[in-house]
Amino acid sequence: MDDQGQRRLLEELEQLRRRLVHAEAAEDRRRQAELALRDGEELFRATFEQAAAGICHADPQGNYLRVNQRMCEMLGFTREELLNLSFQKVVHPDDLEEGVRLTGKLLSGEIDSYCSEKRYLTKTGAEVWANRTVSLVRDEAGRPKYFISLIEDITERKKAEKALRESEQRYALAVEAGKVGVWDWNLKSGEIYLDPLLKSLLGYEDQEIANHIDAWAGLVHKDDRAAVRQASGAHLSGAAPRFAVVHRMCHKNGGVRWFQTSGNVVKDAEGVPGRMVGTHTDISERKEAEEELKKHRNQLEELVKQRTAELQQKNQELTAQAHKLAELNAALKVLLEQREKDRNEIEAKIITNLTKLVYPYLEKLQSTRLDDDQKMLLDIAWINIKEVTSPFIPNLATTLINFTPREIEVSNLVAKGKTNKEMAEVLNLSVRSVEFHRDNIRKKLGLRKKKINLRTYLDSLA
């Protein structure tokens, strides 16, 4: 082989060697690309599955192609169940129209991605609020391939926002109902935030009163300004634990409104007072009620005084009348007692006269021989005498005839239920004398040493 042939062979061998080197380099790049692809796929799978938010891929019709574990946990479905559903089946019906509208913009190329808050329905029907970020992947020809959605559960945040709104609404209603307004005074600049409600309580629009302490202080009633300054100064100096004062404010219509003001100092990091924050509460109605109550109380006290004077006068008149009645009653009692005494004496005299002057002769006649007519006349005499004497010696049997006049008086009083003391007063005797006569009466009636009540026995003689 000549030199030319050898050179050609060497060139071909060199070209072959170069091809082999290029092939080995290409194979090495392919292997590296495969390794990088596998690493990327592993990284994607780890990111997809271990993400703290839900991630899903869906075809252009909305059917789920891939879902991660977090999304399954959020909605309560298994992976297999979700892959047989479309997003239209799990989005809340009230939020579906907006989702379809935004998806349409992605498909048309009007937008590249969107972010929205919407509700999903779990397998049990419960609502889950989510912040959803959606983008569209297209193929090399620009055709829609699949959607990528990142879904973050914001249910707790939504609950907190709802609770905050409700709390703010309750506060606003309470403030409006209670006529309470908040203020925040910058002690250095003099600027003050005034709740628009405070200004409206004085008849002003928000912009009609400058947010400066001088403007607000100028509306304090002139007679109350010193008290307000003293109360705020005492709190700022530390002499009072809080700023508290009741005062009047001037209304736009020329009237006044009563306010109860409370506030506390807010100090900076160095302990220097920087702000004072507090509230103004309109207590005009309460003050009016207090004044009305005070007026009625004064009227009532005056009426009580007048009534007391009238009652005292009436009491004096009644006392005088009572004294007169007492005197009349005492006189009447004396007259009645004397009448009772006189009656008893008359009765006793009648009984005595009958006993001494009549009964002996009637008894003597009764012991003689009388014919039937005479006996009848004598019986009639006995009956008539008893009938005549019955009003003042009621129902007493003839057994009393042997009594002395005084014993008859005592017997009559005993029969009427008089006590020894009362009989002593009526008969003008001592209690001991009355007891002596009672003892004689019991003896004559055969009641000595017998447990028989004398009044009961005398009543039984009826």
Side-chain angles (χ1 to χ4, degrees):
M1 182 181 292
D2 57 13
D3 293 339
Q4 186 175 1
Q6 289 179 349
R7 281 195 300 274
R8 254 194 325 269
L9 181 59
L10 290 173
E11 288 176 359
E12 290 175 359
L13 290 173
E14 179 63 24
Q15 289 177 1
L16 181 59
R17 185 187 66 79
R18 289 179 180 175
R19 289 194 189 99
L20 289 173
V21 170
H22 286 308
E24 289 177 355
E27 180 64 19
D28 186 56
R29 285 195 298 273
R30 186 185 65 79
R31 285 197 298 270
Q32 289 179 358
E34 288 179 352
L35 289 173
L37 180 60
R38 283 198 297 272
D39 291 342
E41 289 177 349
E42 290 176 0
L43 180 61
F44 169 77
R45 281 195 296 272
T47 302
F48 189 83
E49 290 298 334
Q50 298 176 19
I55 302 175
C56 66
H57 294 171
D59 63 22
Q61 288 73 41
N63 300 307
Y64 288 118
L65 302 174
R66 300 178 194 84
V67 293
N68 71 346
Q69 185 59 31
R70 177 57 184 146
M71 185 167 179
C72 295
E73 293 171 354
M74 284 172 54
L75 301 182
F77 292 97
T78 64
R79 195 184 304 268
E80 290 74 17
E81 288 173 332
L82 274 179
L83 292 177
N84 288 318
L85 297 174
S86 64
F87 81 86
Q88 292 92 336
K89 298 294 184 182
V90 294
V91 172
H92 193 286
D94 294 342
D95 299 340
L96 186 58
E97 183 179 351
E98 178 66 10
V100 171
R101 185 182 67 82
L102 293 172
T103 300
K105 286 189 173 184
L106 277 178
L107 291 171
S108 66
E110 186 177 346
I111 57 175
D112 295 328
S113 64
Y114 71 84
C115 183
S116 66
E117 293 181 356
K118 64 172 57 181
R119 289 164 291 177
Y120 284 85
L121 296 176
T122 68
K123 187 176 180 178
T124 61
E127 293 183 5
V128 175
W129 274 97
N131 183 27
R132 183 177 181 228
T133 303
V134 183
S135 59
L136 177 63
V137 177
R138 298 177 182 272
D139 60 16
E140 294 178 355
R143 292 186 296 268
K145 193 173 181 181
Y146 58 87
F147 295 104
I148 300 177
S149 298
L150 179 64
I151 303 168
E152 179 186 3
D153 187 345
I154 60 171
T155 304
E156 293 304 318
R157 192 195 81 191
K158 282 290 185 179
K159 289 180 179 179
E161 289 175 352
K162 181 181 178 182
L164 179 60
R165 285 195 303 271
E166 292 176 350
S167 176
E168 290 174 343
Q169 289 173 355
R170 284 194 296 270
Y171 172 76
L173 290 173
V175 165
E176 184 175 356
K179 297 183 178 181
V180 179
V182 179
W183 49 268
D184 187 345
W185 174 20
N186 187 317
L187 298 174
K188 296 178 181 178
S189 66
E191 294 180 353
I192 185 172
Y193 165 77
L194 294 168
D195 191 331
L197 175 63
L198 281 178
K199 299 178 181 180
S200 68
L201 290 174
L202 295 180
Y204 292 95
E205 296 293 332
D206 187 18
Q207 69 278 3
E208 290 185 277
I209 300 177
N211 290 326
H212 195 278
I213 190 61
D214 292 340
W216 186 246
L219 295 174
V220 175
H221 193 280
K222 63 179 182 178
D223 294 338
D224 296 339
R225 291 174 186 173
V228 173
R229 283 195 298 268
Q230 181 179 358
S232 62
H235 180 50
L236 288 170
S237 66
R242 56 196 294 269
F243 172 37
V245 65
V246 173
H247 61 92
R248 290 162 291 180
M249 299 286 291
C250 298
H251 195 277
K252 186 177 180 180
N253 63 11
V256 296
R257 302 291 296 179
W258 280 94
F259 282 87
Q260 180 173 316
T261 299
S262 300
N264 288 288
V265 163
V266 179
K267 297 181 180 180
D268 58 21
E270 298 177 356
V272 178
R275 296 161 51 210
M276 188 185 291
V277 180
T279 60
H280 282 315
T281 304
D282 189 336
I283 60 170
S284 301
E285 284 75 13
R286 190 187 81 187
K287 276 290 186 180
E288 291 173 1
E290 289 175 354
E291 289 297 322
E292 190 67 20
L293 181 62
K294 183 178 179 181
K295 177 182 176 181
H296 287 302
R297 185 169 58 246
N298 291 337
Q299 292 176 348
L300 181 60
E301 289 177 353
E302 185 61 30
L303 288 174
V304 169
K305 288 180 181 179
Q306 294 177 4
R307 186 59 179 163
T308 301
E310 292 174 0
L311 290 174
Q312 288 175 346
Q313 179 64 29
K314 184 62 69 176
N315 184 57
Q316 291 174 358
E317 294 175 0
L318 291 174
T319 301
Q321 293 177 2
H323 287 315
K324 291 180 179 178
L325 288 174
E327 292 174 355
L328 292 173
N329 186 54
L332 180 60
K333 183 179 179 181
V334 171
L335 291 174
L336 290 174
E337 289 175 349
Q338 185 62 44
R339 180 179 178 278
E340 182 72 13
K341 184 178 179 181
D342 294 342
R343 189 175 71 84
N344 290 334
E345 289 178 354
I346 292 171
E347 289 177 358
K349 287 179 181 180
I350 291 173
I351 295 297
T352 301
N353 291 332
L354 286 173
T355 303
K356 292 180 178 181
L357 302 176
V358 177
Y359 291 158
Y361 294 103
L362 291 177
E363 290 175 353
K364 189 173 182 180
L365 282 173
Q366 202 169 19
S367 65
T368 61
R369 292 182 180 182
L370 300 173
D371 58 28
D372 292 338
D373 290 336
Q374 290 172 336
K375 288 180 179 179
M376 182 184 68
L377 291 173
L378 184 59
D379 290 338
I380 291 173
W382 277 108
I383 293 171
N384 290 336
I385 290 172
K386 289 180 179 180
E387 183 70 23
V388 170
T389 59
S390 62
F392 48 87
I393 49 172
N395 302 320
L396 290 181
T398 55
T399 54
L400 301 182
I401 293 174
N402 295 325
F403 287 3
T404 66
R406 185 64 76 186
E407 289 171 350
I408 293 173
E409 290 178 340
V410 171
S411 297
N412 287 334
L413 293 174
V414 169
K416 294 177 182 178
K418 300 292 185 179
T419 63
N420 290 348
K421 185 177 179 181
E422 289 173 337
M423 287 188 288
E425 291 178 355
V426 172
L427 301 175
N428 198 22
L429 298 174
S430 67
V431 174
R432 193 174 186 84
S433 297
V434 172
E435 292 173 348
F436 173 77
H437 290 302
R438 285 180 68 120
D439 187 62
N440 286 337
I441 292 171
R442 292 184 67 87
K443 181 179 179 181
K444 290 180 180 181
L445 293 175
L447 300 179
R448 263 194 171 183
K449 299 181 180 180
K450 293 183 180 180
K451 296 182 177 179
I452 298 176
N453 184 270
L454 181 57
R455 179 187 177 188
T456 302
Y457 182 80
L458 292 173
D459 288 340
S460 70
L461 296 178

